[in-house]
Amino acid sequence: MNTVSTRKQIVEKYIDGFRRTDHAQILSCLTDDVVWELHGYRTLRGKDAFDAEIENDDLEGSPALTIDRLIEEGDTVACTGGGSVAMKGRDRREFVFCEVFTFTGDAVSRLDTYHVWLS
C-alpha cells in the first residue's frame, strides 16, 4: 500500500487551493517569510506579496489544474502538471508547469515556478 507523505499532501492542498482560488487554504501551506520565484517574471517575498499574486487581473475565475507527478527528495517536492485558465476578453489558454516546493518543517518556505503557455 502506497501512502502519500505529509509534504506531498501539503502540495496537493496548495494546488487545490488554486483550483478554488481559496487564499486562506493556499496561505496555510506557507511560512510567513516564503519566497516565490516565478522564473522569467518576478520574485515575491512574504505571505502578503504571495497573497496579492494569487489572483491576476488578466485572468477570469479559477484555473483548471492537474497534477501529473509529485517527486519528493529530502526537504523538496517537485510537482509537474498542466491546466487552463480563462483570460479576460479572450479564450481559455492551456499551459504546463513545474513547481519545486522547498519545505521548512511542514510548510513551504520557497517555491520555484516554471510555467509555459501552450496556446
Side-chain angles (χ1 to χ4, degrees):
M1 176 177 182
N2 266 344
T3 58
V4 177
S5 74
T6 299
R7 289 180 173 164
K8 285 182 179 180
Q9 289 175 4
I10 292 166
V11 170
E12 289 172 339
K13 177 181 175 183
Y14 169 91
I15 296 290
D16 183 61
F18 266 95
R19 286 183 187 117
R20 299 183 301 107
T21 314
D22 185 333
H23 290 246
Q25 181 170 324
I26 295 164
L27 296 174
S28 74
C29 300
L30 311 174
T31 62
D32 290 337
D33 61 348
V34 64
V35 175
W36 189 7
E37 179 75 32
L38 295 128
H39 291 274
Y41 181 57
R42 72 164 114 186
T43 301
L44 303 169
R45 299 184 191 296
K47 275 189 176 180
D48 289 341
F50 202 108
D51 190 24
E53 190 67 23
I54 290 171
E55 293 182 71
N56 185 313
D57 290 338
D58 295 331
L59 308 177
E60 291 180 348
S62 299
L65 298 170
T66 59
I67 295 173
D68 295 328
R69 292 177 69 191
L70 292 173
I71 305 151
E72 184 171 3
E73 183 175 341
D75 64 356
T76 303
V77 175
C79 175
T80 62
S84 66
V85 67
M87 306 296 289
K88 283 191 179 166
R90 294 182 282 181
D91 291 334
R92 291 188 76 80
R93 289 190 71 190
E94 304 284 326
F95 60 89
V96 293
F97 67 87
C98 177
E99 295 194 310
V100 180
F101 297 80
T102 303
F103 284 81
T104 299
D106 286 336
V108 177
S109 57
R110 179 178 175 86
L111 178 58
D112 289 275
T113 297
Y114 304 87
H115 185 266
V116 177
W117 292 108
L118 299 176
S119 60

